[in-house]
């Protein structure tokens, strides 16, 4: 592995001949245009330089992830000193966590099994699973799917339950990795049974050790049982039909006859063997059953993930499924896997034939594809990204003047006091971006002022001298805000480990900027900075203080935001772009500090997050095949993604500017990777439909603080509802909606213009130029530079904007509508030839 010095030392002096004469509002800026020729040329070289850097530095690097004792250490280049005050969390881990010890994987996909009473649903693709005292409950929700323009949901109802006749004593986690968990049940006869829950397995596998298997369906009822004894074969198979017309394959490794009584199949006595169950497609269940027979004996127990960085701009992600039984292993791949899967060969004749027989099987992430083999190789092309925007064309003199003028004003603008780390993170992220722009433009005094401002604001957080200071939680293993420990709703749940990558991602970007622009300050504060980084982007699975990449789900490719909460949809994430921002910041920090290990793996995590965002959040007509129904994809942006549902709304509303804007912030060079012109050409008409509401205002008599009794009681004067930045204060006794005003707040208005710039940079430039409010995490300077750096508008592109006519997106064919396809309907469904639509058809609901 080559050792590359990546730590740039840039003194805070004018390097590029771009100086400002004064610091007042009438600043006169003198430009050395030769420097900007150089700047434009450098932008053209950035992608090439990034690729060369990868080739040089990434000779070979391997990380193996199984459980935390087996992970190769990658954190040796971190300062592991924890300088924050250490506290005990008010909530302790339950006994359900079993073998898991600190640092706890609070962002793992299976936390609903172990938090609170451990009775929440977990998405184990393609099923919803609950592990309760009564047994392992399995739901195949796709046959109950509800599709609207606002959401797609696979409701959890217990289709099958696997348990034992022996009395329950307890259950807990026996082992886990990033994509699997094993829950073990203990019984009063000293026996056990284990549920090996591995993402992507068509079967749920329960291994019985001295206990008596029971397969039951109290809710759905068992209507038919067909024993399938294969001559000369091991074990026994059954095909059962439930009252909801689902059919399931049941395999028992022991040649026993299950007794059917009272909606249960019960073994004659304790066994040492395993039982597997798999959903069968409704319309071709017998063909699917026969196709599955060669795979019933081999079951996955866990997965070992290996990352290899070789010469070039690619990274290999290898998955080794650790298994029991014998024969070939059958698994499911998600849509994003198919884009990058090198082995097994998903285009082989064998897989194509098997897919035709064992289909359709759905997850909330679309129709699944079968893969045969216990070794997968996924090859990622690492996304090229750097510190600054890449210019599509040379900046004009007037653009440079406008950007420079606003840069100085934005850096000097006062910041309102904030307490929670999310609001502060946005502020510090905003200034960090301004500092980098000043550095790129060579405006030394502006860069100096931005750096000083950053350090003045950050130092109390790093030293623990602010009000809501950060602490190290000795119970779970992580950095949390002090106020967050007072209640699980404070600081957006950060005290209970929700949204850490959203909040701290801004901090990490600021740390990277300071490491680049003021290395001495970074050196002094390095331990405090790196504790925050390790909280969300820790590459060392053997670290005793922090878990490996707290929020990352390697199988799904994206992160989960929710922490130690029982979430009804299993797990969830809203702001895909803030998640991307966390890994982008870690990548930049690695570059700035010469931490080669962090640079490589953060670059991969960033690339994985980008790919999954573009597949699962960004929706177009030419989208990934068999993903989302067209009525839902018409929104062009997903709001929240859960384990068993998705929505086109946010936690705080369903307006297009909320849904699209929360998935755009913060504005940075990473935004250009996510919002390419091809996507925005289809997305802009939807978000742009909000332009008509941009100039709506609340009547002046309601804006005054005196008009709202709670604001008046606080002694506030001027405008409150909304204030001069178009934001309603918490003291307001009414909302814009209650006044009948469709209002677009300034922060969201700015992101509408940011999006517009991708397809019409000149129009957006002018929109941004005359706008004043950009929210706490953005600035006019940043938006202007973004607009100026975008490519020319696409040829013959129509910028007509309009809200989708959702009904026009409903397709008639049954197999074009996932809920109809999942229950085996064929022909015309939505509507049928008689004009009547079936109950499985999509519908438009009020929002």
């Amino acid at each position: 592995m080559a050792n590359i010095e990546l730590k740039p030392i840039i003194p805070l002096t004018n390097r590029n001949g771009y100086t400002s004469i004064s610091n007042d509002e009438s600043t006169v800026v003198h430009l050395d245009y030769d420097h900007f020729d150089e700047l434009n040329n450098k932008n053209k070289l950035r992608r090439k330089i990034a690729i060369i850097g990868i080739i040089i530095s990434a000779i070979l690097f391997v990380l193996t992830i199984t459980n935390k004792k087996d992970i190769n250490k990658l954190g040796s280049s971190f300062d592991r000193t924890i300088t924050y005050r250490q506290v005990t969390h008010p909530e302790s881990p339950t006994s359900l966590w079993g073998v898991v010890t600190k640092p706890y994987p609070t962002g793992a996909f299976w936390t609903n099994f172990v938090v609170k009473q451990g009775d929440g649903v977990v998405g184990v693709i393609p099923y919803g699973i609950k592990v309760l005292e009564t047994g392992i409950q399995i739901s195949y929700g796709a046959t109950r799917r509800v599709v609207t323009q606002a959401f797609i949901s696979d409701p959890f109802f217990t289709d099958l339950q696997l348990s034992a006749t022996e009395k329950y004593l307890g259950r807990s986690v026996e082992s886990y990795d990033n994509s699997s968990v094993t829950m073990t049940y203990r019984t009063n006869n000293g026996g056990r049974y284990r549920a090996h829950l591995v993402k992507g397995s068509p079967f749920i596998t329960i291994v019985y050790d001295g206990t008596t298997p029971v397969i039951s369906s109290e809710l759905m009822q068992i209507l038919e049982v067909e024993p399938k004894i294969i001559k000369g074969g091991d074990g026994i198979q059954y095909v059962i039909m439930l009252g909801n017309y689902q059919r399931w394959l049941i395999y028992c490794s022991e040649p026993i006859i299950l007794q059917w009584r009272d909606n249960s199949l019960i073994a004659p006595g304790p066994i040492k063997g395993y039982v597997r169950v798999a959903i069968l497609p409704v319309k071709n269940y017998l063909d699917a059953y026969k196709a599955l027979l060669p795979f019933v004996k081999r079951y996955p127990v866990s997965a070992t993930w290996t990352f290899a960085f070789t010469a070039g701009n690619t990274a290999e992600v290898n998955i080794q499924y650790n298994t029991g039984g014998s024969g070939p292993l059958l698994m499911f791949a998600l849509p994003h896997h198919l884009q990058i899967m090198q082995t097994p060969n998903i285009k082989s004749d064998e897989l194509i034939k098997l897919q035709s027989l064992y289909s359709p099987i759905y997850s909330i992430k679309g129709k699944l594809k079968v893969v045969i083999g216990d070794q997968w190789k996924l090859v990622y092309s690492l996304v090229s990204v750097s510190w600054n925007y890449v210019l599509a064309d040379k900046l004009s003199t007037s653009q440079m003047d406008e950007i420079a003028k606003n840069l100085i004003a934005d850096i000097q603008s006062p910041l309102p006091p904030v307490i929670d780390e999310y609001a502060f993170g946005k502020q510090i992220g905003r200034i960090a971006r301004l500092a980098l722009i000043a550095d790129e433009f060579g405006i030394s005094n502006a860069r100096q002022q931005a750096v000083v401002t950053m350090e003045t604001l950050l130092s109390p957080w790093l030293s623990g001298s602010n009000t809501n200071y950060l602490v190290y939680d000795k119970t779970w293993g992580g950095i949390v805000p002090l106020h967050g420990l007072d209640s699980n709703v404070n600081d957006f749940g950060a005290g209970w480990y929700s949204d850490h990558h959203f909040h701290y991602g801004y901090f990490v970007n600021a740390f990277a900027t300071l490491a680049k622009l003021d290395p001495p300050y970074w050196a002094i504060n390095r331990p405090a900075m790196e504790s925050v980084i390790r909280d969300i982007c820790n590459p060392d699975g053997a670290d005793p203080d922090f878990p490996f990449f707290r929020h990352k789900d390697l199988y799904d490719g994206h992160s989960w935001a929710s922490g130690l909460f029982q979430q009804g949809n299993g797990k969830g994430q809203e702001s895909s772009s803030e998640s991307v921002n966390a890994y982008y910041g870690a990548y930049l920090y690695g570059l700035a500090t010469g931490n080669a290990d962090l640079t490589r793996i953060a670059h991969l995590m960033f690339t994985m997050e980008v790919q999954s965002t573009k597949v699962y959040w960004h929706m177009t007509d030419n989208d990934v095949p068999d993903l989302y129904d067209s009525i839902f994809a018409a929104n062009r942006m997903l709001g929240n993604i859960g384990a068993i549902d998705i929505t086109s709304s946010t936690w705080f509303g369903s307006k297009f500017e909320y849904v699209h804007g929360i998935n755009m912030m913060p504005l940075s060079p990473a935004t250009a990777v996510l919002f390419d012109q091809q996507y925005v050409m289809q997305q802009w008409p939807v978000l742009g439909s909000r332009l008509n509401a941009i100039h709506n205002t609340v009547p002046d008599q309601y804006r005054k603080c005196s008009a709202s009794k709670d604001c008046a009681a606080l002694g506030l004067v001027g405008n409150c509802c909304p204030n001069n930045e178009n934001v309603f204060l918490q003291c307001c006794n009414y909302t814009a909606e209650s006044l009948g005003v469709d209002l677009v707040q300034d922060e969201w208005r700015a992101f509408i213009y940011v999006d517009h710039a991708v397809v019409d940079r000149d129009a957006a430039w002018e929109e941004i130029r005359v706008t004043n409010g950009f929210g706490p995490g953005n600035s006019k300077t940043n938006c202007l530079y973004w607009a100026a750096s975008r490519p020319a508008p696409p040829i013959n592109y129509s910028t007509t904007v309009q809200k989708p006519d959702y009904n026009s997106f409903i397709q008639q064919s049954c197999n074009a509508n996932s809920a109809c396809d999942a229950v085996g309907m064929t022909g015309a469904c939505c509507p049928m030839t008689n004009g009547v639509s079936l109950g499985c058809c999509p519908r438009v609901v009020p929002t």
Side-chain angles (χ1 to χ4, degrees):
M1 183 169 61
N3 294 317
I4 305 298
E5 179 62 40
L6 298 176
K7 190 184 301 181
I9 304 298
I10 302 178
L12 292 174
T13 58
N14 186 343
R15 299 180 294 112
N16 294 316
Y18 188 166
T19 59
S20 60
I21 302 303
S22 65
N23 290 324
D24 59 28
E25 294 182 358
S26 59
T27 295
V28 178
V29 177
H30 294 272
L31 302 173
D32 178 352
Y33 294 112
D34 290 337
H35 158 60
F36 280 96
D37 287 335
E38 176 188 355
L39 175 63
N40 282 291
N41 289 333
K42 285 195 291 185
N43 270 284
K44 294 176 182 178
L45 292 174
R46 279 195 182 117
R47 286 194 176 96
K48 293 180 181 178
I49 292 170
I51 293 171
I52 292 171
I54 294 169
I55 293 172
I56 293 173
S57 63
I59 304 300
L60 181 63
F61 172 68
V62 175
L63 163 67
T64 300
I65 305 172
T66 50
N67 58 58
K68 61 182 180 179
K69 293 183 179 179
D70 297 327
I71 301 173
N72 294 337
K73 293 187 177 181
L74 286 177
S76 58
S77 51
F78 275 130
D79 187 319
R80 294 175 175 269
T81 307
I82 297 177
T83 59
Y84 298 101
R85 277 171 272 192
Q86 301 193 18
V87 301
T88 300
H89 199 279
E91 183 171 317
S92 298
T94 66
S95 61
L96 296 171
W97 286 88
V99 302
V100 187
T101 57
K102 171 191 165 233
Y104 288 84
T106 58
F109 75 93
W110 45 266
T111 52
N112 264 5
F113 288 160
V114 292
V115 297
K116 306 303 180 186
Q117 302 304 311
D119 54 358
V121 61
V122 168
V124 184
I125 293 169
Y127 305 106
I129 304 293
K130 290 184 179 181
V131 290
L132 308 180
E133 180 175 336
T134 56
I136 298 97
Q137 295 186 346
I138 306 169
S139 169
Y140 179 62
T143 56
R144 292 176 288 274
R145 176 166 289 189
V146 179
V147 178
T148 74
Q149 90 287 2
F151 62 87
I152 300 176
S153 176
D154 289 346
F156 183 97
F157 288 92
T158 305
D159 294 313
L160 290 180
Q161 175 173 279
L162 276 72
S163 59
T165 60
E166 289 76 17
K167 183 178 179 182
Y168 167 89
L169 293 183
R171 67 187 188 277
S172 61
V173 174
E174 181 177 286
S175 63
Y176 71 95
D177 56 63
N178 193 274
S179 57
S180 78
V181 62
T182 294
M183 295 295 295
T184 296
Y185 282 70
R186 302 179 303 280
T187 59
N188 66 338
N189 67 337
R192 297 173 183 268
Y193 58 100
R194 297 174 176 86
H196 296 300
L197 302 171
V198 183
K199 281 195 166 191
S201 174
F203 294 85
I204 296 298
T205 304
I206 312 296
V207 177
Y208 288 87
D209 184 6
T211 46
T212 305
V214 178
I215 302 102
S216 58
S217 185
E218 294 295 328
L219 183 62
M220 300 302 172
Q221 299 187 329
I222 299 175
L223 300 185
E224 294 180 7
V225 178
E226 301 177 54
K228 302 283 186 179
I229 302 174
I230 307 299
K231 186 176 181 180
D234 298 327
I236 186 170
Q237 294 79 226
Y238 295 83
V239 173
I240 65 172
M241 185 177 77
L242 306 182
N244 58 2
Y245 300 103
Q246 288 180 354
R247 281 186 167 87
W248 292 76
L249 166 61
I250 299 174
Y251 171 75
C252 181
S253 64
E254 304 303 301
I256 57 175
I257 301 300
L258 300 177
Q259 301 172 18
W260 178 19
R261 64 173 184 267
D262 299 329
N263 290 308
S264 296
L265 297 174
I266 305 172
I271 68 168
K272 287 184 176 291
Y274 54 93
V275 173
R276 309 190 75 196
V277 298
I279 188 69
L280 296 173
V282 175
K283 60 188 174 186
N284 58 331
Y285 79 95
L286 280 177
D287 289 337
Y289 159 75
K290 294 174 184 177
L292 287 182
L293 285 180
F295 308 101
V296 295
K297 298 179 187 178
R298 185 88 173 271
Y299 60 91
V301 174
S302 61
T304 300
W305 294 74
T306 302
F307 305 147
F309 298 80
T310 56
N313 64 337
T314 60
E316 293 180 2
V317 176
N318 297 285
I319 310 170
Q320 173 67 61
Y321 286 104
N322 308 304
T323 64
S326 60
L329 179 68
L330 184 68
M331 298 293 289
F332 281 131
L334 289 174
H336 78 281
H337 294 143
L338 303 179
Q339 296 178 346
I340 53 177
M341 184 172 287
Q342 189 172 96
T343 57
N345 178 12
I346 56 175
K347 296 181 179 180
S348 69
D349 292 341
E350 180 185 17
L351 274 186
I352 292 173
K353 181 179 180 181
L354 178 59
Q355 183 67 42
S356 68
L357 297 173
Y358 189 42
S359 183
I361 302 296
Y362 280 93
S363 77
I364 202 63
K365 287 186 168 76
K367 193 180 295 185
L368 300 171
K369 304 296 183 183
V370 292
V371 177
I372 300 173
D374 58 7
Q375 294 182 347
W376 290 15
K377 179 185 287 187
L378 310 177
V379 179
Y380 284 88
S381 295
L382 297 175
V383 173
S384 177
V385 68
S386 189
W387 296 90
N388 302 298
Y389 299 122
V390 176
L391 300 180
D393 296 299
K394 183 177 179 178
L395 297 179
S396 69
T397 300
S398 61
Q399 285 175 325
M400 290 185 287
D401 286 342
E402 188 71 19
I403 293 169
K405 178 185 71 176
N406 282 282
L407 173 66
I408 295 165
D410 280 337
I411 289 175
Q412 293 176 346
S413 64
L415 298 172
V418 295
I419 296 177
D420 73 84
E421 76 289 346
Y422 183 47
F424 175 78
K426 285 186 172 183
Q427 285 188 350
I428 203 68
R430 170 187 178 273
I431 303 170
R433 179 52 42 197
L434 292 171
L436 290 170
I437 294 173
D439 179 63
E440 183 180 21
F441 276 46
I443 311 178
S444 59
N445 57 339
R447 182 177 71 240
Q448 174 74 35
Q449 185 173 355
V451 168
V452 169
T453 300
M454 289 176 67
E455 293 172 356
T456 300
L457 294 173
L458 261 178
S459 291
W461 287 86
L462 297 175
S463 64
S465 58
N466 59 315
T467 302
N468 187 22
Y469 53 85
L470 300 177
V471 297
Y472 177 76
D473 168 23
K474 297 185 296 182
T475 303
W476 298 93
I479 301 295
V480 295
L482 182 67
H483 292 177
L485 296 176
D486 293 336
S487 168
N488 61 12
V489 299
N490 287 359
D491 294 65
F492 302 93
W496 267 250
Y497 291 93
S498 285
D499 296 359
H500 276 206
H501 57 329
F502 295 166
H503 302 185
Y504 297 154
Y506 291 99
F507 283 69
V508 175
N509 275 269
F511 298 161
T513 300
L514 289 173
K516 175 181 172 67
L517 300 182
D518 192 357
Y521 179 85
W522 165 77
I524 293 171
N525 293 280
R526 178 183 175 187
M529 291 181 179
E530 295 192 346
S531 288
V532 174
I533 295 171
R534 288 160 65 205
D535 183 82
I536 58 171
C537 296
N538 183 21
D540 181 5
D543 191 323
D545 301 313
F546 299 94
F548 175 86
F549 283 92
R550 184 180 300 279
H551 294 278
K552 192 70 170 184
D553 187 318
L554 297 176
Y555 183 86
D556 287 64
H558 62 78
S559 300
W560 298 111
S562 46
L564 298 174
F565 295 86
Q566 275 221 344
Q567 193 155 319
N569 62 355
K571 211 72 173 173
Q573 174 153 285
E574 183 175 72
S575 180
S576 58
S577 51
E578 286 182 308
S579 185
V580 166
N581 181 59
Y583 304 115
Y584 172 58
Y587 169 66
L588 294 182
Y589 185 88
L591 289 177
T593 61
N595 187 333
D597 287 349
L598 178 63
T599 301
R600 295 184 185 102
I601 196 167
H603 199 180
L604 173 59
M605 296 298 166
F606 168 74
T607 298
M608 292 174 73
E609 204 78 17
V610 166
Q611 187 215 15
S612 288
T613 296
K614 296 181 82 167
V615 171
Y616 300 119
W617 271 261
H618 295 185
M619 304 178 290
T620 63
D621 284 339
N622 54 342
D623 206 347
V624 179
D626 302 322
L627 186 54
Y628 303 135
D629 293 76
S630 56
I631 188 176
F632 184 82
N635 294 295
R636 303 309 183 208
M637 180 66 77
L638 186 144
N640 263 294
I641 192 164
I644 61 171
D645 67 17
I646 53 176
T647 73
S648 61
S649 59
T650 71
W651 288 102
F652 50 91
S654 60
K655 290 182 177 181
F656 288 142
E657 63 266 30
Y658 298 161
V659 177
H660 292 246
I662 197 67
N663 285 291
M664 296 176 72
M665 64 173 58
L667 180 61
S668 77
T671 311
V673 176
L674 291 171
F675 288 81
D676 57 86
Q677 202 168 71
Q678 183 179 4
Y679 166 63
V680 177
M681 285 172 65
Q682 293 194 45
Q683 178 240 358
W684 165 247
V686 176
L687 179 57
S689 68
R690 295 294 292 154
L691 285 173
N692 293 331
I694 275 181
H695 300 294
N696 293 344
T697 59
V698 171
D700 287 342
Q701 65 266 32
Y702 293 106
R703 295 194 69 183
K704 301 295 184 184
C705 298
S706 57
S708 177
K709 68 175 184 178
D710 288 351
C711 296
L714 294 172
L716 300 178
V717 296
N719 292 327
C720 288
C721 307
N723 62 12
N724 293 335
E725 292 187 350
N726 240 13
V727 176
F728 276 74
L729 302 184
Q730 289 185 351
C731 60
C732 294
N733 298 118
Y734 42 81
T735 64
E737 288 77 11
S738 67
L739 296 174
V741 178
D742 184 9
L743 192 68
V744 179
Q745 296 176 358
D746 286 357
E747 179 175 14
W748 306 113
R749 177 187 307 180
F751 280 106
I752 294 176
Y753 298 152
V754 163
D755 197 56
H756 195 190
V758 181
V759 291
D760 193 342
R761 61 189 182 185
D762 294 334
W765 170 275
E766 188 60 25
E767 291 165 342
I768 294 165
R769 193 185 65 79
V770 298
T771 297
N772 291 318
F774 292 85
N778 204 352
S779 65
K780 177 178 280 192
T781 301
N782 192 26
C783 291
L784 286 171
Y785 194 16
W786 162 265
S789 66
R790 294 308 87 210
I795 298 173
N796 298 325
Y797 174 66
S798 172
T799 56
T800 302
V801 295
Q802 60 183 7
K803 182 178 179 179
D805 175 8
Y806 292 109
N807 282 309
S808 69
F809 284 87
I810 299 175
Q811 301 181 57
Q812 185 177 29
S813 171
C814 297
N815 63 15
N817 295 283
S818 63
C820 298
D821 194 33
V823 295
M825 303 304 296
T826 58
C829 284
C830 305
M832 297 185 292
T833 53
N834 63 3
V836 177
S837 291
L838 297 178
C840 58
C841 293
R843 66 181 189 272
V844 178
V845 297
T847 57

